[in-house]
Amino acid sequence: EQWRNNGKRIGIIERGNIVMPTHGRNLPMMNRTRLAQYYQYISKPLQGSLPEFIGAREVICLGGRTVFWDLVASRLVLSLLPDWPVPIRDMETYYDIAERVMNVTDEYAKGSTLTEKLLDRLQLGGFPESRYMPIAADLHPTKFGEVHADVFFSSFSLLAKASFLRPFDMAINARAVQMLVDQGKATGVKVMSPDMSSYILKAKTIVLSTSTYETPRLLLHSGIQGGAVGHYMTNQVFMLAPGKVNRKDFTDIPGTLAILITATPEKPYQIRLIGPSGYDWYPSSEEKPFLEELDILIQCFGKINPRYENRVSLNPNRKDEYGVPEIEVYFSFSEAEQAEIQKMVEAVKRISSVADITLGEFCLVPTGDLHHTSGTCRMGDDPSTSVTDQYGQVHGISGLYVADNSVLPFIGSGNPTLTTVALAIRTADQIAAQA
Ligand SMILES: Cc1cc2nc3c(=O)[nH]c(=O)nc-3n(C[C@H](O)[C@H](O)[C@H](O)COP(=O)(O)OP(=O)(O)OC[C@H]3O[C@@H](n4cnc5c(N)ncnc54)[C@H](O)[C@@H]3O)c2cc1C
């Protein structure tokens, strides 16, 4: 927006293709089952993730994981995170901006009896931090010729806006393989196409947003070796518990369940309640059957402290078809984190008891099969324990920035994406201010 009229050239290099030009939920033929199947088809197991990070997947397409994400856009509870690198006042400003551009709303399930009744039970039963789940969704109706078809947010929502502001270049099926740096300054990117032709694109400013796995890989492959590159990888313990609520407790149209229980110092877990299973969202083209039973899902997220030894590094013995070394992922839980799993089980049992939910069997999701992996190019002031400064610029290399989940130094038990977007907008403001 700030470079709207200054004639600077902006280019986007995307490795993948266009698999959906919007979030999957915006497509009339998609429902939850089909979108999950399509996600399995498009994503691939992450090379190098075995055996310690077994569930991790790579998603290569324009829009990245945001064309599939579940849209829960809550702020991190920064008071629970130590040494956050950006001043809290700045974070609040940029959270406000990110929420506005992503259309974050807590109106999505407001008024549905399923949400309202369970929220009452939880708030009265000792979980006052329960609230409507904030969802990145444009709920404005299409009216007076203005079409609001892009209901659920994805990176395409921002690309679309940009496309009406000013021209920019975009190459798809174009793989960035190396960052070019000369005397501490970014000078360009080496890019390859699937026919293995390579191109050098000159640039004074480069923003790497290729994911927590690929961004450190590209930095390391470019000879950018700072002590923390690839290290301090973090994610969350992720547990699922199916449940049932009594159909007779709710009106004939129970609506949608979307409740978020945010973490507190005493209960450092984030818990989501969603449902009814299969119909927490569904296309208007599909007829929703009468649900004789109300199945719901409780999702519980527990924090994993960032540790140096949990990391992504280059595999010296294996290269991919572009000649880029593959990665190896090393990951383990500490004993304290193992012990937390039992406490998470107890927390979910208490929730189900106060909310009158009959619980099914708990399931611990395989490590890595939660797309919150972060931290491999963490922000911070100290170059020995971080990769970028608080504006996302790689320490010691002017003009080279990172703006994806890899910059998040901590995520606690929260969702990463709103924070990544807020920090990315702050990085963009910094770049515009310096140009
Ligand atoms: C099913 C699902 C549900 C989720 N639900 C939530 C949620 O409710 N809340 C939440 O906060 N988060 C959620 N997430 C996570 C969220 O999608 C991610 O936090 C976010 O997309 C991460 O953005 P990123 O830029 O770090 O990486 P990505 O989204 O992975 O984007 C990386 C991009 O870089 C491209 N790329 C990779 N390598 C190269 C290369 N060498 N050259 C050029 N381009 C390259 C990829 O194709 C892709 O476009 C969910 C994710 C999934 C899959």
Side-chain angles (χ1 to χ4, degrees), residues 14-15 61 64-65 70 72 175-176 214 371 404-405 415 417:
E14 165 56 54
R15 180 174 178 187
C61 61
R65 288 164 221 264
D70 284 337
V72 179
R175 169 142 201 227
E214 182 78 358
H371 296 266
D404 59 23
N405 282 2
N415 304 290
T417 309

Side-chain angles (χ1 to χ4, degrees), residues 13-16 39 59-66 68-73 174-177 209-212 214 218 272 371-372 403-406 415-418 420:
I13 306 299
E14 165 56 54
R15 180 174 178 187
Y39 163 73
V59 182
I60 299 294
C61 61
L62 184 59
R65 288 164 221 264
T66 68
F68 295 102
W69 75 309
D70 284 337
L71 302 134
V72 179
R175 169 142 201 227
V177 291
S209 308
T210 55
S211 87
T212 300
E214 182 78 358
L218 290 176
R272 293 184 200 166
H371 296 266
H372 293 181
D404 59 23
N405 282 2
S406 71
N415 304 290
T417 309
L418 179 74
T420 294

Side-chain angles (χ1 to χ4, degrees), residues 310-322:
N310 284 342
R311 66 190 186 278
V312 164
S313 61
L314 297 186
N315 182 335
N317 303 316
R318 287 178 64 114
K319 290 187 174 167
D320 69 8
E321 67 274 26
Y322 294 88

Side-chain angles (χ1 to χ4, degrees), residues 79-308:
S79 57
L80 296 183
L81 303 176
D83 305 325
W84 189 258
V86 175
I88 300 295
R89 214 186 48 220
D90 267 28
M91 282 309 297
E92 281 167 4
T93 303
Y94 283 94
Y95 270 140
D96 285 345
I97 297 172
E99 283 167 350
R100 196 166 66 81
V101 300
M102 294 169 77
N103 296 307
V104 177
T105 176
D106 62 6
E107 294 285 327
Y108 181 68
K110 210 180 249 181
S112 91
T113 54
L114 200 45
T115 292
E116 299 295 345
K117 278 211 168 173
L118 291 189
L119 208 44
D120 281 347
R121 290 175 188 172
L122 288 165
Q123 289 182 341
L124 294 170
F127 292 90
E129 57 283 352
S130 309
R131 60 185 183 116
Y132 300 115
M133 192 141 70
I135 299 282
D138 172 8
L139 300 181
H140 289 97
T142 293
K143 215 175 169 189
F144 304 135
E146 188 180 73
V147 178
H148 286 263
D150 186 32
V151 178
F152 293 106
F153 175 89
S154 70
S155 305
F156 278 98
S157 312
L158 297 181
L159 276 180
K161 229 176 209 175
S163 75
F164 289 107
L165 281 177
R166 54 156 291 161
F168 57 88
D169 300 323
M170 183 160 71
I172 56 169
N173 297 314
R175 169 142 201 227
V177 291
Q178 209 175 345
M179 304 302 110
L180 306 174
V181 173
D182 186 28
Q183 296 179 8
K185 278 195 182 141
T187 58
V189 186
K190 182 176 170 192
V191 179
M192 289 176 75
S193 55
D195 66 2
M196 299 300 145
S197 311
S198 60
Y199 305 84
I200 302 290
L201 303 183
K202 288 188 184 165
K204 287 188 187 142
T205 306
I206 301 165
V207 184
L208 257 174
S209 308
T210 55
S211 87
T212 300
Y213 307 116
E214 182 78 358
T215 295
R217 180 186 186 189
L218 290 176
L219 290 181
L220 291 169
H221 181 54
S222 308
I224 299 164
Q225 301 280 355
V229 179
H231 293 269
Y232 300 100
M233 190 179 89
T234 186
N235 197 320
Q236 286 151 350
V237 180
F238 185 33
M239 206 172 61
L240 300 175
K244 276 188 198 309
V245 287
N246 188 345
R247 181 71 183 82
K248 293 190 184 127
D249 288 356
F250 303 92
T251 53
D252 59 343
I253 304 176
T256 303
L257 173 63
I259 293 177
L260 188 75
I261 308 178
T262 43
T264 63
E266 300 74 38
K267 296 174 237 153
Y269 326 107
Q270 178 184 252
I271 296 177
R272 293 184 200 166
L273 284 80
I274 57 170
S277 294
Y279 293 96
D280 57 320
W281 66 273
Y282 59 98
S284 54
S285 36
E286 181 183 5
E287 201 171 309
K288 182 180 170 191
F290 178 80
L291 302 172
E292 288 179 13
E293 300 209 304
L294 289 179
D295 293 305
I296 64 157
L297 187 64
I298 303 180
Q299 304 175 321
C300 187
F301 305 77
K303 77 169 178 186
I304 295 176
N305 286 323
R307 285 191 292 283
Y308 182 80

